[in-house]
Amino acid sequence: MSRSIVIGAGMVGLATAWHLQERGVEVTVIDRVGVAAGSSWGNAGWLTPGKTIPLADPSLWTYGPKALLDPDAALHVPFRVDAGLWSFLAQFAAHGTSKAWDRTMADLTPIDKIALAGFDELQAGGVDSWTREGPFVIGFKEEAHSKGFLHEVAGVVRHGQDVPMERLDTPTELAPVLSDAVKVVYRLAGQRFLEPAPYVEALGAAVVARGAQLITGIEVMDVASTRKPVVLLSNGERMEADSVVIATGAWMPKLARKLGVRTRVQAGRGYSFTVETEKPQEHPVYLPYQRIACTPYQGRFRIAGTMEFRRPDEPFQHRRIQAIIEQAREMFTGVDLDDRQDEWVGSRPVTPDGLPLVGATKAPNVYVGGGHGMWGIVLGPVTGKLLAEQIVTGRVDPAIKPFDPLR
């Protein structure tokens, strides 16, 4: 029996492990902390192919300067001497054009279209957790604030996705948490959501129940490929396998760069917390102008936001939570923003061109899966399926061809 080592126990790594098992591969999963310990834990849990779009767009040239000058801006870049960060920002900004947006959207569309089916397959295969249909409630203070969002949706539709959306006459019909300040509201259908930590933990449990060895609390220090790939652990142990998958999110470059993966992966850190609401909120809420994404979570309401370009292991910046609160306070009612739980920061792996890194490295039988930016949860299951197919059969599915990690 073929044997594979998957490094990283987030959504992408575990989905890859699950699909390798489907193809008869014996799997060991290694994570330096544990299952769902990184950006898979505290995100908004949105399964929204209709919003799985390039992060860089022409509006970057409008709010980009604010990201440098205003520490409370939704997109924040610390002003510091960091050659790697500035190199990433230069490449990222170069993709902030309409032409680049369309090119990247064309490359994302094929995998967007099959993303939700990946969750149905996992559920049918015994993963004991749920995904739920929206609808999603999209709110704005005024008509002018909605133009950017509507333009994005139109671009997604133009590239071939069905994104059902209608304007609501009663703003609080589906979202009693919205305040009177919210005057323009849309209902977005055809998308789903989940509770990310419980879902990824259920996926991990399924992988273990199917025979995988799960090793946590030990870091992989190096991956080498001679006759067979070998991983070197922080305790000095060496493990050999027929294939190795690096799925370590924002930490991918540490292991993958020397294997020919030159595309920079920058941590785009997001923050979240949960609050109580006076009236139950059953549907996700999105405030695009404030860049705040909210989801029902274990009887509470998770509020997530911000994109902060820092190193992945930097300390929690409480000011970022306060920035989200100040933006949210005017838009919500019956929400206790002062009684917060589960305050969290997670490092999402962002690439300059907005495309993931999925496929073979220069080292024989060593692969990477990651670089999804904000879309690792929604694209994780189908990424794992198509990467497992490539590992076992050598076939590269057209949906992941644009994600070649050696590009």
Side-chain angles (χ1 to χ4, degrees):
M1 177 183 287
S2 176
R3 182 165 175 265
S4 184
I5 295 173
V6 176
I7 308 167
M11 177 68 95
V12 175
L14 290 172
T16 305
W18 194 91
H19 281 286
L20 285 169
Q21 291 174 316
E22 282 287 279
R23 292 178 172 274
V25 178
E26 180 182 326
V27 178
T28 297
V29 179
I30 305 172
D31 194 281
R32 65 174 188 158
V33 180
V35 171
S39 58
S40 291
W41 190 90
N43 63 82
W46 286 15
L47 311 182
T48 51
K51 275 295 296 168
T52 303
I53 62 177
L55 183 58
D57 61 37
S59 69
L60 180 65
W61 297 99
T62 301
Y63 67 77
K66 186 178 181 181
L68 293 174
L69 301 175
D70 182 0
D72 295 328
L75 171 64
H76 177 58
V77 181
F79 198 79
R80 58 168 58 154
V81 177
D82 186 334
L85 174 60
W86 292 108
S87 173
F88 165 81
L89 291 173
Q91 296 174 58
F92 184 73
H95 287 85
T97 67
S98 295
K99 184 177 180 180
W101 192 95
D102 276 317
R103 184 170 58 248
T104 302
M105 191 68 240
D107 288 338
L108 288 171
T109 297
I111 199 168
D112 283 355
K113 287 183 173 181
I114 58 177
L116 295 182
F119 291 89
D120 297 334
E121 186 170 359
L122 290 177
Q123 185 175 24
V127 176
D128 186 18
S129 195
W130 54 263
T131 68
R132 190 170 298 162
E133 295 282 344
F136 284 64
V137 182
I138 320 297
F140 306 91
K141 286 178 62 177
E142 56 187 82
E143 202 81 45
H145 289 179
S146 68
K147 290 182 178 179
F149 176 79
L150 296 177
H151 179 74
E152 289 177 350
V153 171
V156 173
V157 172
R158 186 175 70 250
H159 280 276
Q161 288 195 59
D162 182 24
V163 189
M165 196 168 69
E166 62 178 339
R167 186 160 176 171
L168 295 178
D169 294 329
T170 306
T172 57
E173 178 183 343
L174 296 175
V177 296
L178 292 178
S179 75
D180 292 339
V182 182
K183 306 296 186 184
V184 180
V185 178
Y186 288 87
R187 178 187 189 274
L188 175 65
Q191 322 294 309
R192 305 185 201 173
F193 68 98
L194 50 70
E195 294 179 341
Y199 189 95
V200 177
E201 287 164 0
L203 177 56
V207 168
V208 171
R210 287 151 58 109
Q213 180 184 13
L214 175 62
I215 301 172
T216 60
I218 296 177
E219 187 172 0
V220 174
M221 307 304 293
D222 195 14
V223 177
S225 183
T226 51
R227 185 177 62 87
K228 285 186 176 182
V230 174
V231 301
L232 175 63
L233 304 182
S234 56
N235 63 1
E237 184 180 352
R238 295 169 63 89
M239 298 179 66
E240 185 181 88
D242 297 293
S243 62
V244 169
V245 179
I246 301 169
T248 50
W251 293 266
M252 180 189 289
K254 178 180 177 182
L255 297 175
R257 186 164 181 80
K258 76 167 195 173
L259 304 177
V261 182
R262 300 298 183 185
T263 299
R264 184 172 176 85
V265 178
Q266 170 65 45
R269 306 202 318 167
Y271 288 75
S272 71
F273 53 89
T274 65
V275 294
E276 287 190 355
T277 61
E278 289 180 3
K279 297 179 181 179
Q281 178 59 46
E282 298 179 359
H283 307 294
V285 175
Y286 183 35
L287 306 175
Y289 194 79
Q290 291 76 20
R291 302 179 187 273
I292 292 175
C294 310
T295 316
Y297 185 81
Q298 298 189 331
R300 292 172 66 84
F301 192 49
R302 172 170 281 172
I303 299 177
T306 201
M307 175 65 75
E308 176 190 49
F309 289 139
R310 289 181 179 268
R311 290 182 289 274
D313 289 316
E314 286 194 46
F316 185 98
Q317 305 291 315
H318 189 73
R319 184 167 184 168
R320 304 304 296 156
I321 294 286
Q322 290 299 321
I324 297 171
I325 292 168
E326 292 309 310
Q327 291 278 5
R329 200 176 291 280
E330 181 184 12
M331 307 295 283
F332 291 133
T333 186
V335 175
D336 191 351
L337 293 168
D338 297 319
D339 182 20
R340 299 179 300 278
Q341 296 179 13
D342 309 313
E343 289 191 348
W344 170 89
V345 61
S347 294
R348 299 164 297 196
V350 180
T351 60
D353 61 5
L355 296 176
L357 300 165
V358 181
T361 71
K362 285 185 176 179
N365 300 312
V366 180
Y367 302 81
V368 297
H372 293 83
M374 299 170 64
W375 317 122
I377 289 291
V378 60
L379 298 182
V382 69
T383 293
K385 178 179 181 176
L386 300 183
L387 181 55
E389 178 187 15
Q390 180 179 354
I391 293 168
V392 174
T393 70
R395 176 181 179 270
V396 179
D397 190 279
I400 59 171
K401 277 187 177 179
F403 310 156
D404 182 356
L406 301 181
R407 63 180 182 269

